[in-house]
Amino acid sequence: MIHDQDAFTGKVVRISGPVIVAAGLEDVRLYDVVRVGKLGLVGEVIRLAGAYATVQVYEDTSGIKVGEPIQNTGLPLSVRLGPGLLGKVYDGLQRPLKILADSSGEYIHRGVEASSIPEDILWHFTPSVAEGDIVGPGDELGVVPESQTIAHRTLLRPGYRGRVCEIREGDFHAHEVIAVIDLEGDRKPRPLEVNLVQCWPVRRPRPFHHRLDPTEPLTTGTRIIDTFFPIAKGGSAIIPGGFGTGKTVAEQSLARWADADVVIYVGCGERGNEMTEVLEEFPGLEDPRTGLPLMNRTVIIANTSNMPVAAREASIYTGITIAEYYRDMGYDVLILADSTSRWGEALREISGRLEEMPGEEGYPAYLGARLAEFYERSGRVVCLGLDTRERRRRTGSVTVVGAVSPPGGDFSEPMTQNSMPVSYTHLTLPTK
């Protein structure tokens, strides 16, 4: 909550495409989210230098003028996690595209907002603990039937521990209080009110108890992959290949047939016609395991090549954070990133506008580190907290499969070379 409006308001002093320099933002921190201009465009602080803050804006900055106000929210870029994510189509900032289209028409207006979690749906919450029980980080408080196949476990947020002083069963909207926790210690003087939604910064990995060895295979349903190029459950793989070699087809096949409970499909900078094919085909696909629509266990993040380049960079983190959320419930999650090369191009463009020293082929020098941070968020883990009904720890996994699109099928380019050391399996698709 912002208490002193003036202390959080600055002004625009320089504009360079999606990169804006602001002055007058007191107490601003790196990676804080800000609202730029009269339209309130969403941006993120990526550099601090003296009295100036450099902001990358996730929307088109056309029409923004020097001197316009810029407002610091005081919070990092975060996603809202709760029941209702499955079956939805979001942009890179977790804005539901269908709701935005209904409110703004065929072209999405700048500065428009919509809740990523359905506000009008009543969810039936069944408690797994009783009043007086002691609960810790990641402990299951109750269950919500999110779909016909996925039971959404409401977990206590990491970092909290205390005694349940109130919990109730019934039908609730996402932001209604379902439980009250009397926290231990004096860090939080007031009881914690828990609802079905929690926010999590996208650039911070969600914690777990410990990591397991990747000994269990992920059955992909494609015999040549399972036989010659096996992917570990909780492992990582890349599909490098030139344009038109079948990377998107391979990832769509994995989404349908792989042995995963939840699928996160991130269309990162893909062509609009390919993303349209995904959006039209997925709702009609049948889940071979249950016979129900595949979308019942799928989240699609669509950030096409004509969308703002900065939002493309954020879409990868949005997808992996949602994947970790379902992993913490004890599910096996498959995240498909198509394609990471477009993500690298976004890093390169933003780095150029920041006038950073370029590395090989103009990519930033920290490209390898960013790729390693992303792929390292995969893994098969023992989750925080206990499954309250069985009194044992849950295990879950996040398997990452990223497509790489080297120009001209040249596998010696930086994106491919930096992705290979940090991934377990390479499904190379040579150009004819």
Side-chain angles (χ1 to χ4, degrees):
M1 181 179 295
I2 298 176
H3 299 283
D4 186 352
Q5 190 78 5
D6 294 334
F8 286 80
T9 303
K11 65 178 181 178
V12 176
V13 297
R14 181 186 173 190
I15 305 171
S16 176
V19 176
I20 283 178
V21 178
L25 286 175
E26 298 181 11
D27 301 325
V28 68
R29 299 170 299 181
L30 197 63
Y31 297 129
D32 273 357
V33 171
V34 297
R35 292 286 184 170
V36 179
K38 299 176 182 177
L39 293 175
L41 307 183
V42 179
E44 183 182 23
V45 177
I46 57 175
R47 176 190 285 174
L48 296 172
Y52 298 97
T54 304
V55 176
Q56 69 174 0
V57 183
Y58 292 117
E59 300 181 76
D60 184 15
T61 56
S62 300
I64 298 295
K65 299 181 298 184
V66 171
E68 287 199 36
I70 183 167
Q71 183 79 20
N72 181 22
T73 65
L75 300 172
L77 182 65
S78 305
V79 293
R80 300 171 71 208
L81 305 169
L85 293 173
L86 298 180
K88 296 296 188 297
V89 181
Y90 297 104
D91 71 352
L93 301 180
Q94 207 200 7
R95 297 182 299 184
L97 290 179
K98 186 179 186 306
I99 296 178
L100 296 185
D102 293 340
S103 62
S104 62
E106 185 175 352
Y107 296 97
I108 299 174
H109 298 160
R110 294 183 298 166
V112 66
E113 290 187 51
S115 175
S116 55
I117 302 294
E119 303 282 355
D120 55 344
I121 297 180
L122 285 172
W123 304 98
H124 185 78
F125 175 75
T126 303
S128 300
V129 296
E131 295 182 5
D133 289 349
I134 301 296
V135 291
D139 281 352
E140 178 185 311
L141 300 179
V143 178
V144 170
E146 184 172 1
S147 70
Q148 294 172 284
T149 57
I150 299 296
H152 186 282
R153 296 182 173 93
T154 301
L155 310 176
L156 185 62
R157 184 185 171 105
Y160 294 94
R161 179 181 297 276
R163 183 183 300 274
V164 179
C165 56
E166 181 182 342
I167 192 167
R168 51 197 179 127
E169 180 178 359
D171 296 330
F172 302 95
H173 291 101
H175 289 90
E176 291 187 73
V177 176
I178 58 169
V180 179
I181 310 296
D182 188 13
L183 298 176
E184 294 180 351
D186 54 1
R187 185 171 64 89
K188 296 285 185 180
R190 293 182 298 177
L192 174 68
E193 295 183 342
V194 180
N195 54 34
L196 298 175
V197 179
Q198 58 177 260
C199 292
W200 191 265
V202 298
R203 300 184 189 278
R204 188 173 75 187
R206 290 179 63 88
F208 49 83
H209 190 270
H210 66 272
R211 191 184 295 268
L212 299 172
D213 293 333
T215 57
E216 185 177 342
L218 176 74
T219 304
T220 66
T222 304
R223 291 181 180 178
I224 190 171
I225 295 178
D226 293 337
T227 304
F228 296 105
F229 309 99
I231 302 174
K233 188 171 288 187
S236 58
I238 59 171
I239 309 179
F243 301 111
T245 54
K247 299 183 300 298
T248 300
V249 173
E251 291 208 335
Q252 291 179 17
S253 176
L254 291 174
R256 184 175 185 181
W257 298 105
D259 181 23
D261 300 312
V262 177
V263 176
I264 313 294
Y265 189 96
V266 183
C268 178
E270 279 301 290
R271 295 185 294 273
N273 59 338
E274 288 192 359
M275 205 67 241
T276 301
E277 181 182 341
V278 172
L279 296 177
E280 290 179 347
E281 182 180 350
F282 267 51
L285 291 178
E286 181 181 293
D287 188 344
R289 298 192 302 172
T290 63
L292 299 171
L294 185 63
M295 282 297 293
N296 283 9
R297 60 181 181 93
T298 302
V299 180
I300 295 178
I301 298 175
N303 200 269
T304 55
S305 55
N306 64 328
M307 291 183 175
V309 66
R312 185 188 310 173
E313 192 260 345
S315 63
I316 290 288
Y317 295 106
T318 299
I320 196 71
T321 304
I322 295 175
E324 290 175 336
Y325 179 62
Y326 282 98
R327 175 207 67 188
D328 291 345
M329 299 181 198
Y331 293 116
D332 295 317
V333 186
L334 173 64
I335 175 171
L336 304 164
D338 189 12
S339 102
T340 56
S341 291
R342 305 291 182 271
W343 178 59
E345 291 172 3
L347 290 176
R348 180 168 60 183
E349 180 173 332
I350 294 170
S351 175
R353 294 184 184 276
L354 291 174
E355 301 177 356
E356 296 175 334
M357 183 68 70
E360 187 179 359
E361 294 190 18
Y363 287 99
Y366 48 79
L367 174 65
R370 291 288 179 88
L371 283 168
E373 288 175 2
F374 171 64
Y375 283 106
E376 279 300 312
R377 292 176 71 168
S378 65
R380 184 165 172 261
V381 304
V382 175
C383 308
L384 285 181
L386 297 174
D387 187 320
T388 310
R389 292 162 293 181
E390 300 184 14
R391 302 306 301 173
R392 62 177 179 83
R393 291 195 179 275
R394 303 176 298 274
T395 60
S397 68
V398 172
T399 306
V400 178
V401 179
V404 186
S405 305
D410 179 15
F411 295 150
S412 65
E413 58 88 37
M415 280 300 301
T416 307
Q417 291 300 310
N418 282 284
S419 298
M420 284 183 172
V422 294
S423 57
Y424 293 100
T425 306
H426 307 150
L427 308 175
T428 305
L429 300 177
T431 305
K432 293 182 181 180

